[in-house]
């Protein structure tokens, strides 16, 4: 079946612009995660949704970052007034957990959106 | 602050040998442990997960967990050039639900033909 998809794959923004990054999780997956991966680093957790509820947003670096998943499927990560330090790959992952029988914590990653802020 | 530490490498291993990748974590409450493989420019791909102390084998891969020492390792037997990638160790304190993963920086593995 189809995996996690993200769009756009590449985004160039001028400093101060707002951007919106989209994630389509695997159909039926309850949980959705956003991560930020800087060059040469491991992914860093940003936020987590269970269906439409945002259960954890502790990793969002500032109030310029906002995520939503209004119908419990597609999610959008929005970054307002982008800064150069926001340049990174933004990864979305989905998981069937916490449904009974689903492997604990197993997450499936999308291809990512590479954001470059000039 | 949860931390996951990995040697960034590069770790160079001859083809056919055993590659040994190590990871330590700071949070004693961590319950689930994962190894992801990431090729350059690609997204992470799950290759192993382990929840209990001891060894878990899957094909050429063996994950080892020692919760007392807060140590996780991944062994790759009969290393192939296609195993050349960055290997990310990740942990979560989720005991049964879903939770954000805390990743290490990754170890860059090079398999020399």
């Amino acid at each position: 079946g189809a995996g996690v998809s993200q769009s756009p794959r590449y985004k160039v923004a001028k400093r101060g612009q707002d951007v919106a990054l989209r994630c389509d999780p695997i159909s039926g997956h309850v949980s959705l995660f956003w991560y930020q991966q800087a060059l040469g680093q491991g992914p860093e957790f940003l936020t987590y949704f269970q269906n439409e509820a945002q259960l954890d947003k502790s990793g969002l670096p500032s109030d310029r970052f906002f995520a939503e998943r209004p119908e419990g499927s597609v999610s959008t990560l929005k970054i307002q007034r982008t800064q150069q330090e926001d340049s990174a790959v933004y990864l979305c992952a989905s998981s069937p957990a916490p449904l009974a029988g689903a492997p604990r914590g197993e997450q499936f990653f999308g291809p990512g959106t590479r954001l470059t802020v000039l | 602050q949860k931390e996951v530490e990995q040697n960034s490498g590069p770790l160079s291993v001859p083809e056919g040998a055993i590659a040994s990748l190590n990871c330590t974590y700071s949070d004693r409450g961590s319950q689930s442990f994962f190894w992801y493989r990431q090729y350059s420019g690609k997204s992470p791909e799950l290759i192993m997960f382990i929840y209990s102390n001891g060894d878990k084998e899957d094909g050429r891969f063996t994950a080892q967990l020692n919760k007392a020492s807060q140590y996780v390792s991944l062994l790759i037997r009969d290393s192939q050039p296609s195993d050349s990638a960055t290997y990310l160790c990740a942990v979560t304190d989720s005991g049964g639900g879903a939770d954000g993963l805390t990743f290490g920086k990754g170890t860059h593995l090079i398999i020399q033909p």
Side-chain angles (χ1 to χ4, degrees):
Chain A
V4 178
S5 61
Q6 293 186 245
S7 62
R9 293 292 314 277
Y10 304 90
K11 176 69 179 178
V12 178
K14 292 182 180 179
R15 190 176 58 171
Q17 279 185 329
D18 297 349
V19 298
L21 312 180
R22 176 187 169 106
C23 173
D24 283 83
I26 294 173
S27 178
H29 277 195
V30 171
S31 297
L32 185 146
F33 305 82
W34 284 97
Y35 294 85
Q36 180 190 60
Q37 187 172 24
L39 190 64
Q41 304 294 313
E44 290 197 5
F45 170 75
L46 295 177
T47 187
Y48 159 52
F49 290 86
Q50 188 176 118
N51 296 306
E52 69 278 4
Q54 189 174 20
L55 299 187
D56 187 349
K57 53 182 181 179
S58 62
L60 296 176
S62 77
D63 59 7
R64 296 186 296 104
F65 287 70
F66 172 76
E68 60 183 6
R69 193 187 186 197
E71 298 179 358
S73 55
V74 171
S75 177
T76 303
L77 176 66
K78 298 180 180 178
I79 309 173
Q80 298 177 325
R81 304 181 304 281
T82 53
Q83 304 294 315
Q84 285 189 322
E85 61 263 29
D86 300 335
S87 295
V89 175
Y90 290 85
L91 294 164
C92 175
S94 71
S95 171
L99 294 178
R104 290 182 298 179
E106 183 174 8
Q107 299 180 17
F108 300 86
F109 282 82
T113 295
R114 182 177 297 277
L115 173 65
T116 302
V117 181
L118 303 177
Chain B
Q1 180 79 6
K2 300 176 190 176
E3 292 184 350
V4 176
E5 299 289 339
Q6 295 181 256
N7 188 324
S8 61
L11 174 65
S12 186
V13 173
E15 183 176 357
I18 296 174
S20 178
L21 305 163
N22 304 313
C23 168
T24 59
Y25 59 95
S26 65
D27 184 4
R28 284 198 170 275
S30 298
Q31 299 207 29
S32 303
F33 307 86
F34 306 86
W35 284 99
Y36 281 82
R37 177 176 62 199
Q38 188 173 29
Y39 292 114
S40 181
K42 302 296 185 182
S43 59
E45 173 192 11
L46 181 67
I47 54 172
M48 288 288 290
F49 58 88
I50 187 167
Y51 307 134
S52 303
N53 277 329
D55 295 0
K56 179 183 178 184
E57 186 175 321
D58 184 1
R60 295 187 297 112
F61 300 96
T62 298
Q64 299 174 317
L65 173 61
N66 184 327
K67 288 188 178 180
S69 300
Q70 296 175 238
Y71 177 88
V72 193
S73 66
L74 179 70
L75 301 178
I76 306 175
R77 289 181 299 281
D78 188 24
S79 297
Q80 303 297 309
S82 59
D83 295 327
S84 298
T86 295
Y87 288 80
L88 298 163
C89 174
V91 308
T92 179
D93 55 11
S94 169
D99 198 1
L101 296 170
T102 301
F103 284 88
K105 292 184 177 181
T107 297
H108 184 203
L109 176 65
I110 298 172
I111 305 301
Q112 295 179 321

